Amino acid sequence: MPFIFLIIIPVIVAFLAFALPTQIRFIRRISLVGSVLFFLGTIGHALWVFSFPDQRQSIQPWFLFDALGAFMTLIVGWVFMTAMFVSHKYLIDEEKLGHSDTTRVAHYYGFAFLFALAMILTLAADHMIMMWVALESSTLATTLLVAYNGKRRSLEAAWKYIVLCSTGLLVGLLGILLFFVALSGGSKDEVASILQFSHFLSLATIPTFDVEFLKIAFILLCVGIGTKVGLVPVHNWLPDAHGETPAPISAMLSGVLLSVALIVLVRFKFIIDGLLGDSSWTNHFFIFFGVLSVLYAALMTLRQKNYKRLLAYSSIEHMGIATFGFALGPIGMIAALLHIAGHAILKPLLFFASGEILHSYHTTHIGEIHGLRKRMPKTSTIFLFGLLGLLAMPPSVLFLSELIILTQGTQSALIPTLLVGVGLVIASYGLLRGFFDMSKESTHTDEHDTGREKWTSTHIVMVAQMILLVSLSGFALTHAGQQMFLMIINSVIFHVV
Amino acid sequence: METLFTILSCGYIFFAMSTASTMRFGVALRSYILASTTLGLLILILGYRESSLHLLALGLLTLIFKVLLIPTFMQYFFSLSGVRPQIGSRSKPTLTRFISFIIILFVSITLVFFGNGHFLNHNLLITIAAFASVGIASLSLVFAKSTYGQLFGILMIENAFSLLILALGVQFHLSIEFWLLCTALVAWMIMHILSDRIRAVFGVETVSTLNELSE
């Protein structure tokens, strides 16, 4: 079973990183090899899950391997591998600038692998409490990565991150416990399986439950896990953490962590929809949080002076779009999954580019950056293409996902869809304005501006991401692609057999 | 046995209030240890009454983690750095206690009259203690002036959830309980390391100094 490797590899590499902090060359090599093996493991795991007739397999009470989890695992594997490759150069540059030392670099790799492990366990957990522990572990594994620079702002961001996310997740835990209360009805019969996702996938009959308690539980879950997703108004940690974290870690937080938390919330939505026999009640919440996130984040992009925070608000906006998509029936759900995949490829690309810009200009302030296209032609060109992809320009897969979401939305929720459309236009303006402000020529000539930028491993990774993005668009339009996404949705929707 | 439950539940709320309303680190730590001891004893007694090996093991684990490991590490790390942190609170102890009483009253009335019978099958007093201590711990988190005050707030909320899980009769596999306890321990360690770095960089550990990141 390939899943074993997804647990063993991060554990071994993390152990070595913490145990041998002085052997930094070895740690760097083993991290690169480990990340490649990890990605190969996710491919093997996905193939293994899709080989089952109903695309799911559970090892009770521990794991539930379904197509949705396998698909997300694949995304985690890809983003993690690219982030580790970019980290290699990023950390060497940091050391050259005197911002880092060998022990911190070793701990960086150790925590990064633990973070990947936490993500995999969150996606594969069958027991809701185990899922919660894994999600909270992801916060713990990344807190010191957010504080990596050791500067005032990064320490502040890390503190806000751990306090707000942990508190939010505790609200989510209360939601899980009330979910239990709603279904157990005060009795202790069959309580053991109520908190297992697999319990709800093949029920003979709909169990008796308290509707009000179930609804309160869902609201708490939306608020609690929504904190981790970065949904407005419980998003406060996100711009700070993304803005102050090393670029490869920002990429993982944005590309993977937010999406994984959203998938957890969606799993609860499917179960509650099934129990209520109707999805309209939960859809209202998803539409509300989705539209609010898109609009607020779009407006905030207009006033950002820091390009990493700009990208962070863009992440909130995209999580809002995906959340909105999940409220629009099966076709909307497929579009939302496509959107998550596209965002997970593109946003890391932009964060990797932001890391290159930071090391060249030594600032994250848009106003202090001039002549980006002249000084960093390769980075800025890939950054621009990535940005256009993020703004849903064809052939980006986000064009397809947003087109489907907006088309579906006009049929079932016209006004919210119009608001999302307005938000998308505002965010596009905000993001492009940020890029073109950085590209403006300076009034005085800087000696660095005339230097030629060399191809680096980061550029190669970014180009690979662009190729994957376009390939994903093509794959989504094929019959096989559509079948795969249908299988993913079918594997997690509540069934009464 | 029921009398013992009543005494321990009341004791738990009392120690939770004491942790929330103090300004001094030493008192907060002692109150946290006593609240955790009460929690561990509650689980052990329930395990004994129901002849549940699972609960007995969980009670022991709770005592090991929350009464021995976390406080010992706390003492050890502070003796290493030679620093005695301040808790601090935006509200005076009297006001905190007053608000805590209101929370307890509110939770009691809500559960007795609007609980729809869901909580009455379990020990009602433990449930009241659990929900009330979630409120009191949140209060302490909101009012905390220093990073260590917030740290205690989160530890107390985690304790309150353990009590809630017990009150609702939810039983997980023991290894999941073990992971939950490990998460609390690791969370404490990470927050402690971060607090230490904040004090080293900012000179103080008050939350109000963490205000550079804003829109």
Side-chain angles (χ1 to χ4, degrees):
Chain A
M1 190 166 43
F3 186 76
I4 301 280
F5 292 104
L6 299 181
I7 295 179
I8 292 173
I9 294 166
V11 169
I12 291 174
V13 179
F15 175 77
L16 289 172
F18 288 117
L20 307 166
T22 51
Q23 307 290 321
I24 199 63
R25 286 168 72 90
F26 171 69
I27 299 297
R28 282 201 172 106
R29 280 180 196 153
I30 199 89
S31 298
L32 287 179
V33 174
S35 68
V36 174
L37 291 176
F38 186 79
F39 177 57
L40 292 175
T42 59
I43 294 175
H45 175 66
L47 291 174
W48 181 72
V49 171
F50 277 98
S51 69
F52 291 113
D54 56 357
Q55 289 82 46
R56 60 172 183 253
Q57 172 85 6
S58 73
I59 302 173
Q60 293 186 357
W62 305 108
F63 298 114
L64 170 67
F65 306 119
D66 58 15
L68 179 62
F71 174 71
M72 289 304 298
T73 303
L74 207 52
I75 292 175
V76 172
W78 169 260
V79 175
F80 180 65
M81 183 181 71
T82 55
M84 285 301 98
F85 269 83
V86 172
S87 294
H88 186 74
K89 177 180 177 293
Y90 184 91
L91 294 174
I92 289 172
D93 287 349
E94 285 278 296
E95 276 191 276
K96 281 180 190 163
L97 293 168
H99 295 166
S100 189
D101 56 58
T102 51
T103 308
R104 278 163 72 188
V105 171
H107 288 176
Y108 172 100
Y109 283 115
F111 280 121
F113 271 88
L114 289 180
F115 171 59
L117 176 65
M119 290 289 89
I120 294 295
L121 290 177
T122 306
L123 289 168
D126 188 17
H127 199 288
M128 293 171 190
I129 300 292
M130 191 177 144
M131 178 277 301
W132 184 89
V133 171
L135 202 56
E136 173 64 6
S137 304
S138 70
T139 309
L140 301 177
T142 43
T143 300
L144 292 180
L145 290 173
V146 175
Y148 180 80
N149 289 330
K151 293 175 185 163
R152 293 170 73 98
R153 292 166 66 89
S154 55
L155 288 172
E156 181 184 337
W159 187 260
K160 281 184 183 170
Y161 173 57
I162 193 168
V163 170
L164 293 177
C165 281
S166 296
T167 314
L169 283 178
L170 284 167
V171 174
L173 181 60
L174 189 60
I176 294 173
L177 293 177
L178 282 187
F179 177 84
F180 171 84
V181 171
L183 271 102
S184 70
S187 91
K188 290 188 177 179
D189 299 332
E190 292 182 15
V191 289
S193 58
I194 286 175
L195 290 177
Q196 282 170 232
F197 288 110
S198 57
H199 174 75
F200 298 94
L201 289 172
S202 52
L203 286 171
T205 52
I206 298 214
T208 52
F209 61 92
D210 187 301
V211 178
E212 297 309 317
F213 268 87
L214 195 69
K215 287 181 174 177
I216 294 169
F218 184 70
I219 294 168
L220 290 174
L221 285 164
C222 271
V223 173
I225 298 174
T227 308
K228 198 85 177 171
V229 183
L231 295 177
V232 175
V234 282
H235 66 286
N236 310 59
W237 65 272
L238 196 149
D240 296 343
H242 283 48
E244 299 304 319
T245 307
I249 302 299
S250 299
M252 286 204 286
L253 291 179
S254 182
V256 169
L257 181 70
L258 310 184
S259 314
V260 168
L262 181 58
I263 290 299
V264 167
L265 193 56
V266 167
R267 281 189 192 278
F268 280 106
K269 176 184 156 42
F270 284 148
I271 291 173
I272 290 169
D273 286 348
L275 290 169
L276 295 173
D278 179 22
S279 63
S280 59
W281 191 80
T282 56
N283 284 348
H284 289 145
F285 280 90
F286 269 49
I287 290 173
F288 171 76
F289 281 114
V291 172
L292 194 64
S293 301
V294 172
L295 278 179
Y296 179 82
L299 289 171
M300 291 308 289
T301 58
L302 295 178
R303 51 180 295 190
Q304 291 313 305
K305 297 182 175 92
N306 177 321
Y307 55 83
K308 285 188 81 183
R309 286 179 78 88
L310 188 68
L311 294 177
Y313 276 107
S314 163
S315 297
I316 296 176
E317 178 218 345
H318 283 278
M319 284 304 111
I321 296 169
T323 307
F324 182 66
F326 277 116
L328 301 174
I331 296 173
M333 286 175 196
I334 291 174
L337 281 178
L338 261 182
H339 198 84
I340 284 177
H343 181 254
I345 296 168
L346 271 171
K347 194 48 73 63
L349 181 153
L350 295 171
F351 272 114
F352 296 157
S354 77
E356 292 288 299
I357 297 169
L358 176 65
H359 282 157
S360 178
Y361 285 87
H362 310 295
T363 180
T364 52
H365 285 274
I366 292 170
E368 294 171 17
I369 295 172
H370 300 286
L372 181 67
R373 275 184 289 180
K374 197 172 173 186
R375 191 196 284 197
M376 306 181 78
K378 295 179 182 71
T379 303
S380 65
T381 305
I382 302 172
F383 190 86
L384 179 61
F385 278 117
L387 205 56
L388 291 174
L390 196 70
L391 302 179
M393 295 291 284
S396 164
V397 72
L398 296 191
F399 168 74
L400 200 59
S401 64
E402 288 185 11
L403 184 69
I404 297 171
I405 287 173
L406 292 176
T407 313
Q408 282 295 115
T410 48
Q411 291 167 17
S412 54
L414 184 62
I415 293 172
T417 308
L418 288 175
L419 290 173
V420 168
V422 170
L424 290 177
V425 173
I426 297 171
S428 303
Y429 171 72
L431 284 164
L432 282 175
R433 192 182 68 170
F435 174 77
F436 286 112
D437 281 352
M438 292 193 290
S439 301
K440 276 182 198 162
E441 295 296 327
S442 174
T443 47
H444 65 278
T445 311
D446 189 328
E447 62 181 34
H448 292 291
D449 290 348
T450 52
R452 293 189 67 184
E453 188 187 20
K454 289 176 186 165
W455 274 101
T456 63
S457 55
T458 308
H459 294 130
I460 295 166
V461 169
M462 291 196 291
V463 170
Q465 283 168 307
M466 292 293 292
I467 293 168
L468 183 66
L469 182 81
V470 177
S471 310
L472 185 63
S473 307
F475 177 66
L477 290 171
T478 62
H479 180 69
Q482 288 158 16
Q483 285 299 312
M484 191 193 82
F485 282 105
L486 276 174
M487 276 195 266
I488 291 170
I489 295 297
N490 279 330
S491 75
V492 283
I493 287 182
F494 187 108
H495 290 286
V496 177
V497 291
Chain B
M1 197 72 88
E2 288 304 315
T3 317
L4 206 54
F5 271 124
T6 309
I7 293 169
L8 287 173
S9 302
C10 292
Y12 181 82
I13 292 199
F14 175 78
F15 294 128
M17 273 171 61
S18 176
T19 316
S21 59
T22 186
M23 300 270 191
R24 286 184 297 171
F25 176 80
V27 179
L29 182 60
R30 279 194 292 277
S31 303
Y32 173 74
I33 292 171
L34 287 169
S36 302
T37 310
T38 318
L39 174 66
L41 288 176
L42 268 170
I43 301 171
L44 280 175
I45 292 167
L46 196 66
Y48 176 74
R49 191 179 72 174
E50 296 185 1
S51 306
S52 163
L53 203 62
H54 174 95
L55 284 175
L56 288 171
L58 178 63
L60 277 177
L61 277 176
T62 303
L63 289 173
I64 291 168
F65 271 83
K66 294 179 178 173
V67 180
L68 287 177
L69 289 180
I70 293 180
T72 309
F73 280 141
M74 232 183 243
Q75 296 278 27
Y76 174 70
F77 286 128
F78 289 127
S79 66
L80 273 185
S81 59
V83 177
R84 205 70 177 162
Q86 288 298 308
I87 298 291
S89 173
R90 288 191 183 86
S91 97
K92 294 239 164 63
T94 325
L95 180 64
T96 312
R97 280 186 198 137
F98 178 69
I99 300 174
S100 301
F101 276 122
I102 291 175
I103 290 172
I104 294 165
L105 201 65
F106 174 75
V107 169
S108 306
I109 292 169
T110 310
L111 285 181
V112 171
F113 292 105
F114 305 106
N116 288 344
H118 281 290
F119 302 107
L120 296 177
N121 289 347
H122 308 291
N123 191 314
L124 185 64
L125 201 61
I126 298 181
T127 314
I128 291 172
F131 275 110
S133 52
V134 169
I136 294 166
S138 308
L139 187 76
S140 134
L141 188 67
V142 171
F143 282 154
K145 254 184 179 175
S146 74
T147 52
Y148 288 104
Q150 291 193 331
L151 197 159
F152 269 111
I154 288 197
L155 284 178
M156 282 165 60
I157 294 182
E158 197 277 327
N159 249 0
F161 273 97
S162 301
L163 194 62
L164 191 59
I165 288 168
L166 181 76
L168 297 179
V170 194
Q171 285 194 10
F172 318 132
H173 198 278
L174 199 61
S175 53
I176 294 178
E177 307 267 17
F178 179 74
W179 277 111
L180 265 173
L181 289 166
C182 283
T183 309
L185 182 67
V186 175
W188 174 77
M189 282 184 167
I190 300 273
M191 288 182 84
H192 169 77
I193 293 169
L194 208 52
S195 289
D196 235 22
R197 289 193 190 169
I198 287 171
R199 194 181 52 240
V201 172
F202 287 80
V204 284
E205 66 250 6
T206 47
V207 182
S208 57
T209 54
L210 304 174
N211 59 2
E212 286 186 24
L213 293 169
S214 63
E215 297 307 334

